[in-house]
Amino acid sequence: MRVALVLVLLLAAALIIASFAVAQAPAANEVGRMMILEYHKIDYPEERWTRTPENFRRDLEALYARGYRLQSLNALLDGRITVPAGTTPVVLTFDDSSPGQFRYVERNGALEIDPKCGVGILEAFVREKPDFGRAATFFVLPAANPPNRLFNQPEHVERKLRWLVDNGYELGNHTLWHANLGKYDETVVRTQLAEAQTWVQRYVPGYQFRSLALPHGVYPREVGWAMSGSAKGMSYNHTGILMVAGGAAPSPYAKAFDPARLPRIQAVERDLNYWLTYFDKNPGERFVSDGEAATITIPTARREKLRSDLPKTLKVVER
Ligand SMILES: [Zn+2]
């Protein structure tokens, strides 16, 4: 009798928890907007282009607590949102390959990733919260002057680039040495983009950049030069071009989505707070995943935001 009562109580508790969880999960809205965050230095002191290791860690905690999960940029460019149902994708990008983003340190004769560098902090956080996901894109400078040349430890460059690619991270084009693409003719623009890839392929054979982050946010005279082409025996093909500002990005399923003009949010205290608060106050604006890659779930009221040229393989579900 007692056992039966305990079972009934446990069942009731489970049902209450389950219904609470369902009620708590935000409804899917896959035409909402999302954040593509842009980091520069992870270092001291906190400045316009520098986030301290502690603040970077706090950013990850704030994102996680509010239901954001890491999204691969390349998957997003393919129209595949991979985060779980009820969560919002967030893309992390790191520009300029500065030393604080990825550093090796020697401890007891062995090399390890510095727990205070960007990659170290991210890895530690993902170990604690595996459901945060694991993704970030590094827009590297292969031929910049030190300290921005491929994270500034020449003896470990190959190890770092391979480690990133082998562990679910992505590399992106940021030109050879941060060239302002608006200042040059077509040949120089194409050479900058193609040779950046040639340099990276010396360390990671065959690696193809899928995206370009514009140095200084400046487009070349013709966008097409930046998208695809070849120079000096190397061809490049960028599916996405990222700007340096512009706010939250449209859903890849929305009419407003333009892969040649993807806006980013600079991950500094003020801008990040602004957007976290914005989405807290305007939950209906926020992309919320349905957890199914093959279906696009949207509120009926937002149907007109949907692109009309979506692949037929994707099923649209209204709610
Ligand atoms: Zn840059």
Side-chain angles (χ1 to χ4, degrees), residues 140-144 149-166 171 176 195-209 234:
V140 296
L141 298 171
R149 181 179 294 201
L150 299 174
F151 312 109
N152 201 38
Q153 285 176 308
E155 68 280 25
H156 300 317
V157 164
E158 180 166 338
R159 179 189 299 268
K160 287 182 190 180
L161 296 186
R162 284 177 180 246
W163 187 92
L164 288 172
V165 170
D166 288 344
L171 305 174
L176 266 182
E195 286 215 295
Q197 187 166 276
T198 303
W199 276 66
V200 162
Q201 288 192 1
R202 284 179 197 150
Y203 304 107
V204 189
Y207 193 84
Q208 298 271 337
F209 292 131
M234 173 61 70

Side-chain angles (χ1 to χ4, degrees), residues 158-278:
E158 180 166 338
R159 179 189 299 268
K160 287 182 190 180
L161 296 186
R162 284 177 180 246
W163 187 92
L164 288 172
V165 170
D166 288 344
N167 287 279
Y169 297 100
E170 294 161 2
L171 305 174
N173 204 336
H174 202 37
T175 77
L176 266 182
W177 36 253
H178 218 259
N180 179 334
L181 297 180
K183 289 209 302 205
Y184 299 103
D185 65 20
E186 180 175 1
T187 309
V188 176
V189 168
R190 292 196 184 282
T191 303
Q192 278 284 333
L193 299 173
E195 286 215 295
Q197 187 166 276
T198 303
W199 276 66
V200 162
Q201 288 192 1
R202 284 179 197 150
Y203 304 107
V204 189
Y207 193 84
Q208 298 271 337
F209 292 131
R210 298 276 320 276
S211 56
L212 160 71
L214 296 166
H216 312 286
V218 179
Y219 281 87
R221 211 145 11 104
E222 290 188 28
V223 181
W225 302 349
M227 291 304 284
S228 61
S230 58
K232 300 204 172 173
M234 173 61 70
S235 54
Y236 58 92
N237 195 349
H238 302 134
T239 315
I241 299 182
L242 285 76
M243 307 191 289
V244 297
S251 155
Y253 313 128
K255 272 181 196 148
F257 183 79
D258 180 355
R261 294 179 183 280
L262 291 172
R264 288 192 288 175
I265 293 167
Q266 290 174 19
V268 294
E269 193 79 20
R270 199 194 57 178
D271 297 26
L272 192 53
N273 274 340
Y274 172 88
W275 283 102
L276 287 173
T277 307
Y278 176 86

Side-chain angles (χ1 to χ4, degrees), residues 13 24 28-29 52 75 91 107 152 159 166 172 206 222 235 256 265 272 279 306 309 319:
Q24 286 294 93
N29 172 15
T52 64
V91 175
R107 192 170 293 179
N152 201 38
R159 179 189 299 268
D166 288 344
E222 290 188 28
S235 54
I265 293 167
L272 192 53
F279 283 119
L306 201 64
D309 58 345
R319 62 158 179 86

